[in-house]
Amino acid sequence: MIEFVLDARSKVNTYVQLIQQVKQALRVGLLVPGDQLPKVRDVAQSLAINPNTVLKAYRELEIEGLVEGRPGVGTFVRRTLGGPPLADQAELRGDLVAWLGRARAAGLSPEDVIALVETTLRATLAAEAVRTQPASAGRPASAG
């Protein structure tokens, strides 16, 4: 079962943080179809937030078709966002843990690590997009 954690310093709304955490868990296979999300009351109590905040997050996930609420029972995962199963990601995760250790040893804060990963990801995706464009893309048409 997922255990939510809030970043009080984040500018991201609390309910959005909950949504993001569920989506991340779906992506890496920590949550799979049929799994039950924690009860609204339990999440609100453990995070010291308003239950309506949790309800808003769960409603948004339901609108996206990721979960379904069952009155009197709870909220359950309907579908996943994952690619390869978690077991296939174990080696990559191990590499990432080692890299994070090096980053922390180099003095990078969690915010520095996130910034480095996000900017590198954007640059890598942009470079891949350029490499996969047809040769004529971006060239002006010749006047004739």
Side-chain angles (χ1 to χ4, degrees):
M1 184 179 285
I2 189 171
E3 197 168 312
F4 293 109
V5 179
L6 294 180
D7 180 356
R9 296 177 300 165
S10 175
K11 292 183 172 90
V12 177
N13 287 333
T14 301
Y15 85 96
V16 175
Q17 288 185 49
L18 298 177
I19 291 169
Q20 289 172 340
Q21 289 175 48
V22 169
K23 287 182 176 182
Q24 288 171 342
L26 289 170
R27 239 177 248 301
V28 299
L30 294 175
L31 285 174
V32 296
D35 285 350
Q36 184 174 5
L37 295 182
K39 301 238 184 267
V40 170
R41 181 184 65 243
D42 295 341
V43 175
Q45 196 170 36
S46 70
L47 298 176
I49 60 176
N50 189 314
N52 288 331
T53 302
V54 183
L55 282 170
K56 185 174 183 179
Y58 284 14
R59 258 188 257 118
E60 185 69 32
L61 290 164
E62 194 165 359
I63 289 168
E64 292 183 36
L66 298 174
V67 302
E68 66 179 336
R70 298 181 192 157
V73 182
T75 303
F76 295 83
V77 174
R78 287 186 62 202
R79 66 181 180 89
T80 185
L81 294 173
L86 191 57
D88 296 345
Q89 299 174 25
E91 184 179 347
L92 289 172
R93 183 176 174 83
D95 293 346
L96 181 57
V97 168
W99 181 86
L100 288 170
R102 291 194 308 273
R104 294 294 287 155
L108 273 64
S109 70
E111 293 81 10
D112 295 334
V113 169
I114 291 168
L116 179 60
V117 169
E118 287 180 350
T119 56
T120 304
L121 179 61
R122 279 194 299 272
T124 302
L125 293 175
E128 287 175 4
V130 168
R131 281 197 308 273
T132 59
Q133 280 183 344
S136 62
R139 291 188 192 155
S142 56

